[in-house]
Amino acid sequence: MQRNKTGRTPSGHQFSRLKPAEIDPLAEYGLPSKGEKRLLNHKTQEAYYSKIAERYLAFCTDAGDRDSLQRQFSRLALGDSTNTNTSTPLLPAGSTSTPPSSSHSHESSAPQLPPPSDLSQILSALRKLREGLVASSRLDDFTTQVYLFAVRLGILSSSFETYLPSLLYLLRVIHRSPTHPLTSVEYHEVVSYLVLDTACRRGDLAEAYTLRNRYKLKDPKVDATLKALVMDDWVSWRRTKRGVDGYRVRLMEFAEPGVRGHVLKAFGRAYLSVGVEYLEEMMGMKWEDMVERFGVGWELNNGRVVIRKIGGRTQ
């Protein structure tokens, strides 16, 4: 087909050599609160959720093993993650990935972590979908599934902007629905997360106990966590943390710097010196991390940490 001097074909269409722009499927829609109407359609909502789930599975696969995935979540966390040794893997259900043995792993063979923007896009897409569900007044099993996914992913990424509104909507709206309330297992899970978030992230133990009683939560692990915070009991805290799943571990990590700081103060008042290995074992972290994170000013001398020095007697 020939073109004239203006660059147009005889049919009148503008000829262009530019390739069509590639649009991220998760960025295709805007926020319903800003005027987006397409996400009010139920079929569109379900198709969009499938894209979100597909992107999340790809994100987990790209991260590699469990330790790499945990580090990737920590990169997006607002607070410092102080312990990544969880009792359960933070991988999707059905995953068979296991961390490699330390004797066969090398820095050169470590998997490349995907950029944190991938996880940010997933969280942003979940917000758009949640707004679409609210705007369309949809209350069914699909809505519950979306909000539970948002809660779990938000907790793993330490994004309270994602999981806290989802928790409240599940309890205040979805569970009160006469046709599609939460199951007993889902209700227990949601309430336990809300209580732990109140105690560990917000630091409001009185409100945490109020919520525990209001929603009639009976969970020995949650009770043990609250008691350890009240008593500043580091031993019970570590024991409880080793016995809970990865979601609760993430919530407990919000309060861990405060509990660890209390232990350091106890060492400072009770000891003149202590072996560095014993101190590291009790604190659950390396000496270098204590100096960096807590500004410890003690001296390390021949494997012993000198906390205080006794001055010589004056004649």
Side-chain angles (χ1 to χ4, degrees):
M1 183 178 295
Q2 295 182 349
R3 292 176 293 148
N4 55 28
K5 294 181 179 181
T6 62
R8 293 181 180 274
T9 62
S11 61
H13 294 289
Q14 180 71 35
F15 179 82
S16 176
R17 296 181 179 178
L18 298 177
K19 295 182 179 179
E22 295 182 1
I23 302 177
D24 188 338
L26 299 188
E28 180 179 357
Y29 303 105
L31 290 169
S33 59
K34 302 296 184 180
E36 176 64 70
K37 301 297 183 184
R38 292 175 293 176
L39 281 177
L40 303 185
N41 181 272
H42 289 190
K43 293 296 183 181
T44 304
Q45 292 169 354
E46 294 169 7
Y48 193 52
Y49 178 70
S50 297
K51 296 177 182 177
I52 295 174
E54 181 181 352
R55 179 68 62 84
Y56 176 68
L57 291 176
F59 166 82
C60 295
T61 303
D62 293 341
D65 56 34
R66 183 186 67 178
D67 293 337
S68 298
L69 183 60
Q70 290 173 339
R71 288 196 300 270
Q72 177 64 10
F73 278 119
S74 298
R75 291 173 64 187
L76 193 69
L78 298 179
D80 290 334
S81 178
T82 55
N83 190 353
T84 58
N85 295 324
T86 58
S87 59
T88 56
L90 304 183
L91 293 175
S95 174
T96 57
S97 299
T98 56
S101 173
S102 59
S103 60
H104 299 285
S105 61
H106 304 280
E107 292 183 1
S108 59
S109 61
Q112 290 291 332
L113 293 178
S117 59
D118 288 351
L119 188 54
S120 299
Q121 290 174 353
I122 296 173
L123 295 175
S124 176
L126 275 175
R127 177 188 172 185
K128 298 174 186 177
L129 181 56
R130 290 183 354 248
E131 286 192 7
L133 293 171
V134 173
S136 61
S137 301
R138 183 173 183 176
L139 293 175
D140 56 10
D141 293 337
F142 174 75
T143 303
T144 302
Q145 180 182 0
V146 171
Y147 271 85
L148 286 174
F149 179 71
V151 166
R152 292 161 183 162
L153 181 57
I155 289 175
L156 291 181
S157 56
S158 300
S159 174
F160 67 89
E161 300 93 339
T162 298
Y163 71 74
L164 183 56
S166 301
L167 286 173
L168 297 178
Y169 192 80
L170 283 165
L171 289 174
R172 297 175 180 177
V173 179
I174 295 179
H175 188 60
R176 294 179 181 178
S177 170
T179 56
H180 294 87
L182 299 174
T183 66
S184 59
V185 175
E186 293 169 345
Y187 178 79
H188 182 275
E189 178 186 4
V190 170
V191 172
S192 65
Y193 293 159
L194 181 61
V195 172
L196 287 176
D197 175 72
T198 304
C200 299
R201 183 183 63 84
R202 294 172 51 194
D204 192 341
L205 290 173
E207 180 65 15
Y209 274 105
T210 299
L211 292 172
R212 168 181 170 273
N213 295 333
R214 178 188 304 167
Y215 292 110
K216 300 179 181 179
L217 176 65
K218 295 181 179 179
D219 191 314
K221 297 297 184 182
V222 174
D223 292 344
T225 302
L226 296 179
K227 184 178 179 181
L229 284 174
V230 171
M231 303 296 293
D232 283 322
D233 188 345
W234 172 245
V235 176
S236 297
W237 174 271
R238 293 185 68 185
R239 184 187 305 117
T240 302
K241 189 178 177 184
R242 284 193 291 265
V244 298
D245 58 41
Y247 302 107
R248 297 189 181 194
V249 166
R250 277 295 188 187
L251 292 172
M252 292 176 69
E253 284 176 351
F254 281 112
E256 191 152 297
V259 182
R260 272 200 170 111
H262 180 80
V263 177
L264 280 175
K265 292 179 181 178
F267 270 103
R269 293 168 182 165
Y271 289 85
L272 296 177
S273 66
V274 64
V276 65
E277 293 183 357
Y278 176 75
L279 181 62
E280 290 177 342
E281 179 182 356
M282 292 296 102
M283 288 293 297
M285 60 192 309
K286 294 294 184 179
W287 165 253
E288 294 77 9
D289 295 331
M290 298 181 213
V291 175
E292 178 181 355
R293 298 183 185 182
F294 295 97
V296 176
W298 304 332
E299 296 180 7
L300 178 60
N301 187 8
N302 295 328
R304 291 195 65 82
V305 177
V306 180
I307 299 176
R308 288 179 295 172
K309 295 182 179 179
I310 300 178
R313 294 182 178 180
T314 59
Q315 297 294 333

